[in-house]
Amino acid sequence: MKDVDNWYYSDKVKEHFLKPKNFLEKEPKKGEFDAYGEAGSVVCGDIMKVWLKIDKKTERVKKFKWQTWGCASAIAATSMFSVMVTEKGGIKIKDALKITPKDIITRLHGLPPQKVHCSVLADQAFKKAIDNYYGGRV
Ligand code: FES
């Protein structure tokens, strides 16, 4: 089988790429978010930026906003990840940290194998933001 035969985008990927959820259009104001994290891909050089709003009492992720220079797969995967961590009023940080790129890809109904590295950016930027949150770095 040639690589091109595996190049298939599910309707769910297209939905999240064409109408990304929780994309941050404007630069945030100072103090608007509780945490910030950034990750880059060594494979393609793209960058992901993530801003979080955390409920300090319950440790739930109330907002997950993001920007990227990544490709369609990175956009779809991050959009999906942002939905997964904020659904049902926001999931607890400890549970959000357990979400893997494989979980994101499952919710997207798959990604082309060549694009799996793109789904890692959201997860990595989120982990950086949580490190910064607990380290007192906004
Ligand atoms: Fe860079 Fe997908 S090719 S994020």
Side-chain angles (χ1 to χ4, degrees), residues 7 9 41 43-48 68-75 114-121:
W7 206 272
Y9 287 117
S41 170
V43 179
C44 62
D46 285 321
I47 290 175
M48 179 67 63
T68 190
W69 285 267
C71 66
S73 299
I75 291 169
Q114 303 88 334
K115 289 293 181 179
V116 169
H117 74 271
C118 313
S119 67
V120 172
L121 285 175

Side-chain angles (χ1 to χ4, degrees), residues 101-117:
K102 191 166 178 263
D103 297 328
I104 301 169
I105 291 170
T106 300
R107 286 277 296 259
L108 284 172
H109 304 160
L111 269 182
Q114 303 88 334
K115 289 293 181 179
V116 169
H117 74 271

Side-chain angles (χ1 to χ4, degrees), residues 38-106:
E38 196 175 300
S41 170
V42 289
V43 179
C44 62
D46 285 321
I47 290 175
M48 179 67 63
K49 295 179 170 185
V50 161
W51 292 264
L52 305 175
K53 194 95 183 143
I54 307 283
D55 183 319
K56 291 174 181 61
K57 278 191 188 148
T58 62
E59 299 225 306
R60 288 182 186 276
V61 182
K62 302 309 283 184
K63 281 189 186 173
F64 178 112
K65 298 284 183 179
W66 57 277
Q67 293 177 343
T68 190
W69 285 267
C71 66
S73 299
I75 291 169
T78 309
S79 173
M80 178 55 87
F81 187 72
S82 75
V83 168
M84 291 167 79
V85 297
T86 57
E87 63 193 356
K88 298 174 188 156
I91 66 171
K92 286 184 173 279
I93 291 172
K94 66 178 174 61
D95 295 324
L97 288 170
K98 290 179 194 159
I99 297 173
T100 65
K102 191 166 178 263
D103 297 328
I104 301 169
I105 291 170
T106 300

